[in-house]
Amino acid sequence: MDSLSSSSLSPYYHLFFTAFAFIISGLIFAFSRKSGSKKLNLPPGPPGYPVVGNLFQVARSGKPFFQYVRELIPKYGPIVTLKMGTRTMIIISDADLVYEALNTKGQIFASRPRENPTRTIFSCDKFTVNAALYGAVWRSLRRNMVQNMLSATRLKEFKSARDLAMDKLVDRLKAEAAANGGVVSVLKNARFAVFCILLSMCFGVEMDEKMIEKVDEMMKTVLIVLDPRLDDYLPILSPFFSKQRKRVWEVRNQQIQTLVPLIEKRRRAIENPGSDKTAASFSYLDTLFDVKVEGRKSSPTNAEIVTLCSEFLNGGTDTTATAIEWAVGRMIENPTIQTRLYDEIRETVGDRKVDEKDVEKMPYLNAVVKELLRKHPPTYFSLTHAVTEPAKLAGYDIPTDANVEIFLPGISDDPKLWSNPEKFDPDRFFLGREDADITGVKGAKMIPFGMGRRICPGLNMATVHVHLMLARMVQEFGWSGYPEEGKVDFSEKLEFTVVMKNSLRAKITPRA
C-alpha cells in the first residue's frame, strides 16, 4: 500500500527560470550560515547553487527524476546528497546500506520528514499510517490497520468481494473486447477491479458502478494535486502559487463531500443492525469509528476518517494494477511464460475457476510474481524516511531534517546481487538459482514494499490480489500484442506508481 515518494519532481515549465532569476537577485543574501556552527559531513553529490541547491539542475536536465538519480550513482557512489531548495535529500541505492539503515538502525530511521503544505492538508497533519511520525499516533493507527483489518483471518472474510470483483473483471474485458475487435486496455480494467475490492473492504456498503466510478475519479484527482510543486522546495515562492493552493482546498472539500455520505451510511448500518440488507458484516471503516489513539481522548473526526479511508484505497489500488500491466506486457513479450502459467493453472484446478487458495500450489505463478516485483517494483523510491536523531551512515552525517530516500532500482538492478538483472526471468526463482526475502528481514536484496518498522502493512493483501488477478486473467484469456506485429514498449513513466509510458493495449482471445 506504499505511495510514491514525495521527493519526485514534476516539470515546472517557464516558472523555473523566472523563479531562478528572482531568487538569485532578491534572496541570495537573505540566507546565511550560522557562524561557528559545526559543518555536517554529508554524503557526496553534485555541487549546487546558493539557496536553490540542485533544484534547477534537476529541473533543467530534461530527465525524469529517477533517471537523473540513476546517472548520479556511478559518479558519486551508493549514498548521494541532493540539495533541493530548503530540503536536503539523501539517496541510498546500496542493499547493505539500506539494510543497515532500516534494519540494524531501524528505530532511528523509522520516522517521516516534514510534509509539504498540500500533503499536510490531505494527511490531516500526518494522521495516517504512512505519514505519521514514528511515535504514538503511528503505533495506534498501524496496529489498528494490521490487527483489525489486514490480518490473515480478516483478509479471508473478504474472499467473496474478491471473487465478485474477478467475475466483474472478466465480464468487463469480454465486453470491451467485443466492442473493439478483441482489444482491451489492461491498466484501466485491472485498476477498476482492485478498486472494487478495496471499496468493499473499506466501506462495507453496496455501491453501483456510477458511484464506484465517482469515487475513483475523485481519488485520481487527489493524486494529481499531490504532485510536488516548486514552492514545496522553496516556500518563499508560495505567493506565486495562490491558484494552486485554492485548487488544493477545492479538491479536499470534494474528497470530504464524496466520502462522508458513505461513512455516514455505514455508521447508520452499524447503529441499526439489519436496516441495510446489503451491508457487509465488517469493514475497515468499522475500526476507525472508535479507534483508540495514544495521547488522544477523542475519536477521529469525519475529516480524519476520510483521510484514513483514502490512504487505504490509494495505497492498494494503483500499486496492484500497475503490477498487472507489467505482467501482461512480459507475457506478451515472452509467450512461453504465459503458456507455462496456463498449463500450471490447468494442472492445478482443471476446469473450475481458479481460487486464491489454489495459487499457493502454483510455484511457477509465484516465481512470475516475485520476478515481477523485482523487475517492476511499484515505485522508484520507497516512502521517504527520516531519522529521529542525528545519525551516521557509511561514515556520513544524516541530519534530522533530511529526506532519506531508498532508490529501489539501484538494488533490484544491481549485477552484484543478481545475475543478468536486466532480463525478466521467473526461472531464477522457479529453479532456485536465486532467491530473496521480499520482507527484507534477511537482507535488502529486493524490497518492493519497503522494509523494517515502516514496511508496507498491505504487503500480504497486495500479493494475494496480484496472484489471484493474474491467474484469473490467464485462465480466462490468451493475451497477445496489439498491434500484432509491434513489440511491447517497456518505457516507464511516473503516475503515482511506475507505469508504462504508453499504456498497454492487448488483444485477448477467450480460452476454449
Side-chain angles (χ1 to χ4, degrees):
M1 292 170 61
D2 284 349
S3 58
L4 182 64
S5 166
S6 63
S7 66
S8 302
L9 191 62
S10 300
Y12 293 108
Y13 312 104
H14 305 296
L15 187 56
F16 277 112
F17 309 106
T18 305
F20 181 81
F22 172 78
I23 293 167
I24 293 302
S25 62
L27 296 175
I28 190 169
F29 299 109
F31 294 81
S32 60
R33 297 176 180 175
K34 294 181 181 179
S35 58
S37 61
K38 181 182 177 183
K39 185 174 177 63
L40 292 172
N41 178 32
L42 294 174
Y49 297 103
V51 183
V52 299
N54 307 110
L55 187 60
F56 293 120
Q57 292 163 290
V58 173
R60 299 184 70 180
S61 71
K63 299 169 184 173
F65 184 66
F66 79 91
Q67 187 60 42
Y68 186 86
V69 168
R70 187 173 268 154
E71 293 174 9
L72 291 179
I73 294 169
K75 184 174 183 180
Y76 294 102
I79 180 167
V80 177
T81 299
L82 284 175
K83 289 280 194 175
M84 304 290 280
T86 61
R87 292 179 180 262
T88 298
M89 191 179 297
I90 296 174
I91 302 164
I92 310 171
S93 59
D94 174 79
D96 290 337
L97 289 180
V98 171
Y99 188 79
E100 180 184 345
L102 302 188
N103 188 299
T104 309
K105 300 177 179 176
Q107 187 169 344
I108 297 174
F109 281 80
S111 202
R112 298 293 192 216
R114 56 190 163 91
E115 296 274 42
N116 64 48
T118 300
R119 288 181 176 271
T120 297
I121 292 167
F122 281 94
S123 71
C124 278
D125 196 17
K126 289 184 170 290
F127 193 76
T128 72
V129 178
N130 281 333
L133 298 175
Y134 187 60
V137 171
W138 171 75
R139 280 193 299 271
S140 300
L141 295 178
R142 183 183 174 90
R143 185 189 310 121
N144 176 69
M145 179 184 279
V146 172
Q147 294 182 358
N148 296 329
M149 188 61 203
L150 297 180
S151 67
T153 302
R154 282 298 189 197
L155 285 176
K156 287 177 183 176
E157 292 183 27
F158 293 95
K159 179 181 180 301
S160 60
R162 289 188 286 274
D163 290 343
L164 180 60
M166 292 303 98
D167 290 342
K168 281 184 179 179
L169 171 63
V170 170
D171 291 342
R172 282 172 66 94
L173 288 169
K174 286 179 178 176
E176 186 174 331
N180 293 284
V183 180
V184 297
S185 171
V186 177
L187 183 62
K188 181 182 72 175
N189 285 293
R191 192 182 189 285
F192 186 82
V194 182
F195 196 66
C196 286
I197 297 171
L198 294 178
L199 275 178
S200 178
M201 294 178 72
C202 186
F203 292 104
V205 295
E206 192 170 81
M207 300 180 206
D208 58 26
E209 196 154 311
K210 185 177 180 182
M211 175 55 79
I212 293 171
E213 289 175 351
K214 179 182 178 182
V215 177
D216 190 21
E217 285 303 314
M218 182 273 296
M219 288 297 175
K220 290 176 185 174
T221 305
V222 168
L223 293 176
I224 290 170
V225 300
L226 286 174
D227 275 349
R229 299 193 309 256
L230 187 58
D231 59 325
D232 295 334
Y233 302 96
L234 293 169
I236 194 73
L237 295 179
S238 60
F240 294 95
F241 289 85
S242 57
K243 287 184 179 178
Q244 287 87 343
R245 290 200 304 278
K246 182 180 178 182
R247 174 61 178 159
V248 166
W249 280 109
E250 288 173 352
V251 173
R252 174 59 173 170
N253 289 331
Q254 177 192 352
Q255 183 189 33
I256 290 172
Q257 291 165 11
T258 302
L259 296 188
V260 165
L262 299 175
I263 292 169
E264 294 303 331
K265 183 178 180 182
R266 180 64 187 181
R267 199 191 301 268
R268 289 192 299 271
I270 293 173
E271 292 172 349
N272 302 283
S275 60
D276 185 348
K277 303 298 183 186
T278 67
S281 60
F282 177 77
S283 75
Y284 179 46
L285 191 51
D286 302 359
T287 74
L288 301 179
F289 288 135
D290 56 0
V291 63
K292 299 294 187 291
V293 178
E294 294 178 44
R296 287 178 45 151
K297 294 181 180 178
S298 59
S299 299
T301 63
N302 270 353
E304 289 171 334
I305 293 175
V306 165
T307 289
L308 291 166
C309 288
S310 298
E311 175 186 43
F312 184 82
L313 296 173
N314 281 335
T317 300
D318 290 274
T319 49
T320 302
T322 300
I324 295 300
E325 182 183 43
W326 288 112
V328 173
R330 290 299 180 180
M331 289 193 305
I332 293 172
E333 175 198 41
N334 187 346
T336 302
I337 294 175
Q338 183 176 180
T339 300
R340 290 174 66 181
L341 276 175
Y342 182 65
D343 289 345
E344 183 176 68
I345 293 168
R346 290 282 299 172
E347 290 170 9
T348 305
V349 304
D351 293 327
R352 65 175 173 81
K353 283 191 290 191
V354 65
D355 184 87
E356 57 195 60
K357 290 181 180 178
D358 299 318
V359 302
E360 299 169 7
K361 308 167 191 171
M362 299 182 187
Y364 190 69
L365 171 65
N366 282 274
V368 169
V369 172
K370 202 163 189 178
E371 178 69 344
L372 187 68
L373 294 172
R374 182 197 70 84
K375 188 65 186 148
H376 300 289
T379 61
Y380 298 116
F381 299 88
S382 61
L383 281 182
T384 307
H385 287 253
V387 291
T388 56
E389 60 188 58
K392 289 275 191 182
L393 191 66
Y396 298 109
D397 291 319
I398 311 294
T400 55
D401 64 344
N403 286 28
V404 179
E405 307 286 355
I406 312 300
F407 185 55
L408 298 179
I411 299 171
S412 58
D413 291 342
D414 188 345
K416 297 191 300 294
L417 299 175
W418 301 98
S419 62
N420 199 5
E422 289 303 311
K423 183 180 180 183
F424 185 86
D425 181 18
D427 275 337
R428 75 173 75 241
F429 297 117
F430 182 69
L431 300 178
R433 297 197 310 261
E434 299 174 271
D435 200 11
D437 168 25
I438 66 170
T439 67
V441 172
K442 298 176 182 178
K445 196 172 177 181
M446 57 177 281
I447 49 171
F449 300 98
M451 64 176 287
R453 285 165 169 78
R454 300 306 286 254
I455 192 171
C456 174
L459 183 154
N460 290 333
M461 179 177 71
T463 51
V464 166
H465 290 166
V466 173
H467 282 89
L468 178 61
M469 188 176 298
L470 184 57
R472 278 296 302 272
M473 290 168 72
V474 171
Q475 183 182 41
E476 297 284 349
F477 306 104
W479 296 80
S480 57
Y482 179 81
E484 291 181 22
E485 67 278 4
K487 289 187 176 182
V488 177
D489 180 5
F490 288 100
S491 302
E492 305 168 332
K493 68 176 179 180
L494 201 55
E495 284 185 357
F496 181 62
T497 53
V498 182
V499 299
M500 289 187 172
K501 188 173 182 179
N502 298 303
S503 191
L504 183 64
R505 301 184 75 205
K507 193 163 188 177
I508 60 173
T509 307
R511 302 284 189 186

